[in-house]
């Protein structure tokens, strides 16, 4: 048996002590991220971790990567800007279901269609945790909260179908019910060359429902590889993704076997093409001189 | 991908290293739990989790000493990346304002979990010395369970009320 690993999970753990409620699923998520980053082996200073606002969005602070706890719903555009400004960085974005699919929902489609090479981790707890338990876009119909005291009349968003429909090249789901599986899935997502999405069912122990706690999640979980799902089959992935909310499928739903070029690769290509016919720096002002 | 433990090929040195890493993970988790309890003004549970962290560290050190006596400074081949919450309590076991009883029950569940790990691994082991070590570790988990049960027995009798009844409802609900 041999295992050489340059980085260990602890190298990605910051000194900041998490202030999440004890028992919150996000503790496992950050563990999974430490382990995935260690397996990928990029040094912390080459990693940028961007989040929005929410309990889950505190996560970059608990890592030694460069971090930016930005504005509610705006993790993705900022992560995109960072990736384009410095394509050599490994860029992670993270946040909650509210951050990603409510206020920030409009951004996802654009990162997917551009195929920005980042990994987006949503800690889906079907509630607004930070603001104390309001209805979120993934809350189940009928759910009573302080903003739906008689039960929600809305159908939830299906995050998996949403990103699959827009054409994301890597779509997976994980949960603290299986930490080893979560670390492996996050690692695979990070290694995927293009936009990768991981929905993590991360229980909110303070405002979440009983069925969404670890015991309830375990009861409905099923490993995608164990049921023989082929992650190259996008339609089969969409079929399985329809069961979001009733079944907890863990693992990779879809991984494009032939990843298309990323946006930053295309930009570099375009820059290289245009630079051939470009004026040298010292003659750049000629562009503004009328002939 | 993090390498999984290949029990069939474990040498005694690997097995001792693995045992040290398992204790190390548990120690860190108990320290984390203690910090969570400090953060949430739950000092009795924090004290108990610190005690567990010290115990795990002590046990880990004994195993590490044994390893260095037998194998000196030979580079380990097993890593922490192979260890997933073997003896460390799952994060889900912690709760804000948990009582000492709940904290002890969480520790007890972890000792039971660790015992199950060693029991499940035994059939796959090929090396007789590794088997003997795993049997020893398995039996130690039973002793650890007894220690936690003894701590539980020192508590005043259970009121029968749920600890949750003493916690304020989240404000917005
Ligand atoms: C522009 C803006 N609108 C609203 C808020 C209030 N706000 C903060 S976090 C949050 C929702 C948090 O829910 P989620 O994104 O699911 O994260 P969680 O706390 O559940 O991890 C809201 C509405 C804000 N900070 N900024
Ligand atoms: S309110 Fe919920 S999501 Fe926020 S830290 Fe507490 S358990 Fe986690
Ligand atoms: Mg949420």
């Amino acid at each position: 048996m041999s295992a050489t690993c340059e980085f260990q999970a602890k190298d990605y753990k910051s000194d900041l002590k998490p202030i999440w409620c004890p028992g919150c699923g996000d503790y496992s998520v950050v563990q999974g991220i430490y382990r995935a980053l260690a397996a990928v082996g990029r040094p912390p200073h080459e990693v940028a971790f961007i989040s929005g606002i929410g309990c889950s969005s505190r996560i970059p602070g608990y890592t030694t990567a460069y971090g930016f706890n930005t504005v509610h719903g705006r993790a993705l555009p900022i992560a995109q800007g960072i990736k384009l400004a410095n394509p050599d960085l490994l860029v992670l974005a993270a946040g909650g279901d509210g951050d990603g699919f409510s206020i920030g929902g409009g951004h996802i489609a654009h990162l997917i269609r551009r195929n920005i090479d980042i990994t987006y981790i949503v800690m889906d707890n079907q509630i607004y945790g930070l603001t104390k338990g309001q209805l979120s876009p993934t809350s189940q119909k009928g759910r009573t909260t302080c903003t739906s005291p008689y039960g929600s009349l809305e159908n939830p968003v299906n995050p998996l179908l949403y990103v699959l429909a827009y054409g994301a090249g890597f779509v997976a789901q994980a949960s603290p019910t299986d930490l080893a599986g979560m670390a492996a899935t996050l690692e695979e997502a990070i290694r995927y060359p293009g936009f990768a999405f991981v929905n993590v069912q991360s229980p909110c122990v303070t405002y979440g429902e009983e069925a969404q706690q670890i015991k309830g999640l375990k009861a409905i979980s099923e490993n995608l590889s164990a049921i023989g799902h082929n992650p190259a089959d996008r339609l089969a992935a969409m079929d399985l993704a329809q069961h979001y909310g009733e079944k907890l499928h863990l693992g990779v739903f879809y991984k494009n076997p032939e990843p298309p070029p990323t946006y930053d690769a295309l930009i570099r290509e375009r820059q290289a093409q245009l630079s051939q016919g470009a004026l040298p720096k010292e003659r750049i002002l000629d562009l503004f001189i009328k002939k | 991908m993090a390498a999984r433990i290949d029990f069939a090929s474990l040498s005694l040195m690997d097995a001792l290293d693995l045992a040290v890493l398992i204790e190390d993970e548990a120690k860190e988790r108990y320290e984390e739990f203690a910090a969570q309890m400090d953060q949430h003004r739950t000092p009795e549970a924090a004290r108990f989790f610190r005690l567990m962290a010290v115990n795990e560290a002590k046990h880990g050190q004994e195993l590490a000493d044994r390893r260095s006596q037998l194998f000196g400074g030979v580079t380990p081949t097993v890593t922490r990346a192979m260890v997933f919450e073997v003896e460390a309590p799952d994060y889900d076991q912690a709760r804000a304002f948990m009582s000492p009883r709940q904290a002890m029950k969480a520790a007890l569940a972890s000792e039971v979990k660790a015992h199950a790990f060693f029991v499940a691994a035994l059939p796959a082991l090929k090396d007789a010395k590794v088997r003997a070590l795993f049997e020893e570790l398995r039996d130690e988990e039973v002793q650890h369970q007894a220690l936690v049960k003894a701590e539980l027995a020192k508590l005043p009798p259970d009121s029968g009320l749920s600890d949750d009844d003493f916690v304020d409802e989240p404000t917005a609900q």
Side-chain angles (χ1 to χ4, degrees), chain B residues 9 25 31 74:
Chain B
S9 70
E25 189 197 32
E31 282 171 351
V74 181

Side-chain angles (χ1 to χ4, degrees), chain A residues 1 27 35 132 146 187 207, chain B residues 1 6 36 83-84 170-172:
Chain A
M1 184 181 293
Y27 283 102
R35 285 169 178 262
K132 298 182 183 291
C146 57
E187 180 190 340
Y207 301 104
Chain B
M1 172 96 75
D6 177 8
Q36 289 180 21
V83 177
F84 284 94
T171 47

Side-chain angles (χ1 to χ4, degrees), chain B residues 11-172:
Chain B
S11 69
L12 182 61
M13 186 185 84
D14 294 335
L16 279 166
D17 283 332
L18 193 65
V20 173
L21 293 169
I22 287 170
E23 299 295 335
D24 202 38
E25 189 197 32
K27 179 200 114 195
E28 274 176 24
R29 186 65 53 87
Y30 280 120
E31 282 171 351
E32 272 186 65
F33 274 22
Q36 289 180 21
M37 295 303 125
D38 288 342
Q39 192 83 255
H40 290 269
R41 318 240 184 288
T42 313
E44 292 92 346
R47 210 172 302 127
F48 174 73
F49 286 137
R50 282 218 167 82
L51 179 80
M52 287 305 293
V54 169
N55 287 345
E56 302 293 353
K58 222 187 284 171
H59 194 211
Q61 191 55 54
E62 284 162 18
L63 289 159
D65 291 344
R66 225 161 117 185
R67 192 271 193 208
S68 67
Q69 270 165 21
L70 288 171
F71 303 103
V74 181
T75 312
T77 61
V78 290
T79 71
R80 259 294 285 277
M82 297 171 182
V83 177
F84 284 94
E85 301 182 322
V86 175
E87 195 167 351
D90 297 359
Y91 281 110
D92 176 55
Q93 293 277 335
R95 285 293 181 276
F97 316 119
M98 70 199 299
S99 64
R101 186 181 303 279
Q102 282 178 311
M104 288 175 197
K105 282 186 175 167
L108 188 59
S110 308
E111 301 295 347
V112 170
K113 185 173 66 163
H115 180 263
F117 170 85
F118 291 116
V119 169
L122 276 171
L125 300 175
K126 293 269 191 308
D127 184 311
K129 285 185 189 149
V130 175
R131 168 176 290 275
L133 176 68
F134 267 52
E135 280 168 352
E136 178 191 325
L137 294 167
R138 173 201 62 191
D139 295 344
E140 274 175 9
E141 297 307 338
V142 178
Q143 288 168 24
H144 296 170
Q145 288 171 32
L147 288 175
V148 180
K149 281 180 188 159
E151 288 296 315
L152 268 167
K154 286 185 210 159
L155 293 175
D158 192 354
S159 63
L161 297 170
S162 164
D163 296 303
D164 290 341
D165 294 340
F166 299 101
V167 177
D168 290 341
E169 281 294 296
T171 47

Side-chain angles (χ1 to χ4, degrees), chain A residues 78-263:
Chain A
I78 292 168
Q80 170 179 275
I82 289 168
K83 184 68 190 176
L84 295 183
N86 187 352
D88 294 333
L89 286 175
L90 188 167
V91 181
L92 304 178
D97 40 316
D99 196 80
F101 288 96
S102 199
I103 189 168
H107 296 299
I108 300 176
H110 303 292
L111 268 83
I112 292 175
R113 71 188 177 85
R114 292 179 191 135
N115 195 25
I116 306 287
D117 184 13
I118 68 163
T119 299
Y120 182 36
I121 303 157
V122 167
M123 280 158 270
D124 180 6
N125 54 12
Q126 288 98 23
I127 199 84
Y128 285 2
L130 185 76
T131 44
K132 298 182 183 291
Q134 296 82 8
L135 201 69
S136 101
T138 57
S139 301
Q140 271 172 332
K141 196 170 187 172
R143 172 84 205 264
T144 50
T145 67
C146 57
T147 48
S148 57
Y150 304 108
S152 160
L153 298 171
E154 303 167 17
N155 286 311
V157 162
N158 180 328
L160 298 163
L161 265 184
Y162 192 110
V163 295
L164 279 164
Y166 277 118
F170 185 100
V171 180
Q173 188 159 246
S175 151
T177 53
D178 174 12
L179 180 57
M182 174 155 60
T185 301
L186 289 170
E187 180 190 340
E188 205 173 339
I190 294 170
R191 289 189 190 278
Y192 178 77
F195 186 86
F197 173 77
V198 184
N199 197 60
V200 185
Q201 290 294 325
S202 177
C204 170
V205 292
T206 304
Y207 301 104
E209 303 240 279
E210 200 58 38
Q212 292 152 353
Q213 304 306 317
I214 294 289
K215 209 169 147 199
L217 293 181
K218 274 188 180 158
I220 57 163
S221 74
E222 194 166 52
N223 205 304
L224 287 170
S225 59
I227 59 168
H229 170 59
N230 170 14
D233 186 341
R234 186 155 167 259
L235 290 180
M238 292 181 98
D239 206 21
L240 285 162
Q242 294 188 66
H243 301 288
Y244 169 83
E246 306 149 17
K247 270 227 162 289
L248 177 60
H249 286 119
L250 298 175
V252 182
F253 279 80
Y254 179 62
K255 184 177 178 180
N256 190 337
E258 286 166 26
T262 61
Y263 191 71

